[in-house]
Amino acid sequence: MGTIDISIEQMVHNPINGTQADIEWGMLVPKENSGLVLLGPDSRRFGISMIHSLHCLDRLRKAIKAKPTSPSGQYHIQHCFNYIRQMVLCAADTRLDPFSGVSREETPVSDRRMSQYTCRDWLAVYQAMNNP
């Protein structure tokens, strides 16, 4: 799998509320297969961790807007918090991020160049998932 360079910035993208937010977050989890792949002679279902994490972030986003009232909805939110926690601990990224406060104006220009990351190419994950 290839890599992609990105700059981590404080920016408003994939907002929490509104129709545009629902559209943007909805595009992250494929509707055709929900991020599941079928493998082996019995077509056993497996979920791709990246897609599962994005699904959970979307569920948490929705829970901020409207707390789930059903027991299964509440359980799903607890599951998602736990899953995201485990994924963060699993990655154990020890890179030092410049602390920049809450707003973009508080970030010194010199800190921005320190926020460069080389990440796995997530587009390759989507391509592999759609072309097994």
Side-chain angles (χ1 to χ4, degrees):
M1 179 180 306
T3 60
I4 170 175
D5 292 328
I6 63 170
S7 294
I8 305 299
E9 297 179 5
Q10 291 189 25
M11 54 190 276
V12 179
H13 190 70
N14 291 69
I16 291 177
N17 293 314
T19 303
Q20 188 61 33
D22 292 340
I23 292 169
E24 289 185 33
W25 280 95
M27 291 171 32
L28 295 173
V29 177
K31 291 188 181 13
E32 315 81 58
N33 56 19
S34 299
L36 298 174
V37 294
L38 306 177
L39 300 175
D42 297 327
S43 296
R44 187 171 171 201
R45 296 183 336 160
F46 290 88
I48 296 171
S49 181
M50 180 186 87
I51 303 298
H52 189 179
S53 295
L54 290 170
H55 159 80
C56 277
L57 285 173
D58 189 35
R59 291 295 285 221
L60 295 173
R61 174 188 74 88
K62 289 175 181 175
I64 289 170
K65 295 186 332 180
K67 183 179 177 182
T69 56
S70 72
S72 64
Q74 291 172 0
Y75 173 81
H76 197 149
I77 294 304
Q78 290 175 351
H79 155 78
C80 282
F81 267 115
N82 192 47
Y83 187 78
I84 297 298
R85 178 186 61 81
Q86 289 176 12
M87 292 302 100
V88 170
L89 291 172
C90 180
D93 187 350
T94 58
R95 179 185 167 86
L96 298 176
D97 289 325
F99 183 75
S100 59
V102 180
S103 70
R104 186 178 193 139
E105 291 76 30
E106 295 177 29
T107 307
V109 174
S110 60
D111 282 355
R112 289 196 212 291
R113 62 186 166 83
M114 294 174 52
S115 296
Q116 286 293 119
Y117 277 80
T118 300
C119 302
R120 292 182 180 162
D121 183 357
W122 57 84
L123 295 176
V125 175
Y126 285 105
Q127 290 169 349
M129 183 174 55
N130 292 324
N131 302 309

